[in-house]
Amino acid sequence: MTKVNGKTEAVTGLNIAEIVEKFGYNPARVAVELNGAIVPKARYAETVVKENDTLEVVSFVGGG
Amino acid sequence: MIPSKEDFFNALAAKHGSELQKKFAAASVAVCGAGGLGSNIAIALARAGVGRLKIIDFDKIEVTNLNRQQYFADQIGLFKAQALKENLFKIAPYCEVTAEVTKITEENVTSLLKGFPIVCEAFDKAEAKAMLVNAILENMPETYLVAGSGMASLNPANLIKTRKITDRFYLCGDFTNDVDAGTGLFGARVLVCAAHQAHTVLRIIAGEFEV
């Protein structure tokens, strides 16, 4: 059971870059945490999500 | 006649308690961006008696800012960081404020924020927010980061919340309403988000880490 932003999703085996794209996020607007730790942007393509991982994709919106 | 530093401390200690006020007075907070979020965050922190603030912003004040940003009509055209420093001095003359007229980039972020264990992200553009948050979380793991995302539109103020994303990363806002959607940016709602951020900072200083 892999969770993305609190919901169970079929993303096991995908890397972070693929997941960001799959859910339609703009890569320039996100910060991604895997099991509570930030995933450096440079490692999105090489970081593969495993079974039981918890992923949080924070997608920023404009205004301030 | 402006009261003494001790008078200010005692007045705040009467409201907050002396032990907590000592913590606020000893705290250093950096505010990245001095617009609707940053100017309101900085003023709230200065009023609470936070000892040291660093304001970083490259922009100048425009008439379109005055619906939500803490500047005066006669300050249009001035650099926000410098104008905010002046305004903070009028409110809290013993708060040590550094104004930096600089654009924050991935390259300079670590040196600009060195010595500030708590940082507020208060930019307006989503890409800039993401850049700062990633840079701090990747390179400054000891820093507490309080960011804002989603305060545009006339939607209910009650949708604005504080979430704790990781041990040191808090996010305030409704996380959804983008200024680019054209639904407007209302001063009171921006202020709600700024207040969430400022209050989260005060709680962190107090050693209260839950939301």
Side-chain angles (χ1 to χ4, degrees):
Chain A
M1 299 288 269
T2 306
K3 292 217 163 177
V4 181
N5 293 354
K7 288 185 193 155
T8 304
E9 302 280 3
V11 294
T12 305
L14 298 180
N15 67 48
I16 303 292
E18 289 167 336
I19 293 169
V20 166
E21 197 189 335
K22 177 184 165 83
F23 288 94
Y25 293 116
N26 177 347
R29 292 182 164 207
V30 299
V32 179
E33 274 82 25
L34 182 61
N35 302 325
I38 185 84
V39 182
K41 288 226 139 177
R43 299 212 190 114
Y44 281 8
E46 67 192 55
T47 304
V48 175
V49 171
K50 301 185 297 292
E51 187 70 9
N52 295 322
D53 276 350
T54 298
L55 194 69
E56 178 85 29
V57 182
V58 177
S59 183
F60 289 91
V61 296
Chain B
M1 162 108 179
I2 293 173
S4 70
K5 190 173 183 177
E6 195 184 0
D7 289 338
F8 265 90
F9 181 89
N10 290 337
L12 289 165
K15 294 271 193 303
H16 303 149
S18 166
E19 286 312 302
L20 188 50
Q21 200 55 46
K22 281 182 200 160
K23 289 184 185 175
F24 289 170
S28 299
V29 182
V31 180
C32 301
L37 294 175
S39 62
N40 284 296
I41 292 167
I43 284 178
L45 296 177
R47 284 196 192 279
V50 168
R52 202 162 145 249
L53 293 174
K54 184 169 187 174
I55 313 294
I56 310 166
D57 193 294
F58 66 89
D59 214 357
K60 288 180 177 171
I61 300 160
E62 297 175 22
V63 66
T64 54
N65 300 150
L66 295 186
N67 72 323
R68 65 193 190 286
Q69 305 188 17
Q70 294 293 347
Y71 301 105
F72 300 103
D74 63 1
Q75 291 180 313
I76 288 168
L78 300 179
F79 283 111
K80 291 181 182 180
Q82 291 168 349
L84 185 55
K85 181 179 175 172
E86 287 174 22
N87 298 349
L88 289 166
F89 182 74
K90 290 188 182 178
I91 294 166
Y94 305 105
C95 179
E96 191 189 314
V97 181
T98 312
E100 189 102 43
V101 180
T102 311
K103 185 160 187 164
I104 302 177
T105 64
E106 280 175 68
E107 288 69 38
N108 66 16
V109 60
T110 326
S111 62
L112 279 172
L113 299 176
K114 201 176 166 204
F116 289 84
I118 305 177
V119 175
C120 286
E121 178 284 312
F123 291 155
D124 55 356
K125 293 197 169 50
E127 288 80 1
K129 290 172 179 289
M131 180 279 293
L132 182 64
V133 166
N134 280 295
I136 290 173
L137 294 176
E138 286 181 31
N139 302 308
M140 307 179 80
E142 300 302 310
T143 299
Y144 285 97
L145 172 62
V146 183
S149 179
M151 74 296 304
S153 84
L154 193 58
N155 284 339
N158 277 344
L159 297 175
I160 293 174
K161 294 178 169 42
T162 300
R163 281 186 62 204
K164 188 175 179 180
I165 308 284
T166 66
D167 274 356
R168 296 188 178 235
F169 172 32
Y170 296 79
L171 187 63
C172 306
D174 65 24
F175 321 121
T176 307
N177 284 285
D178 194 321
V179 72
D180 295 338
T183 47
L185 201 54
F186 296 82
R189 200 164 190 268
V190 175
L191 225 138
V192 172
C193 188
H196 267 264
Q197 289 184 259
H199 194 64
T200 299
V201 168
L202 295 180
R203 283 181 54 78
I204 291 167
I205 297 168
E208 301 285 347
F209 300 107
E210 296 314 311
V211 295

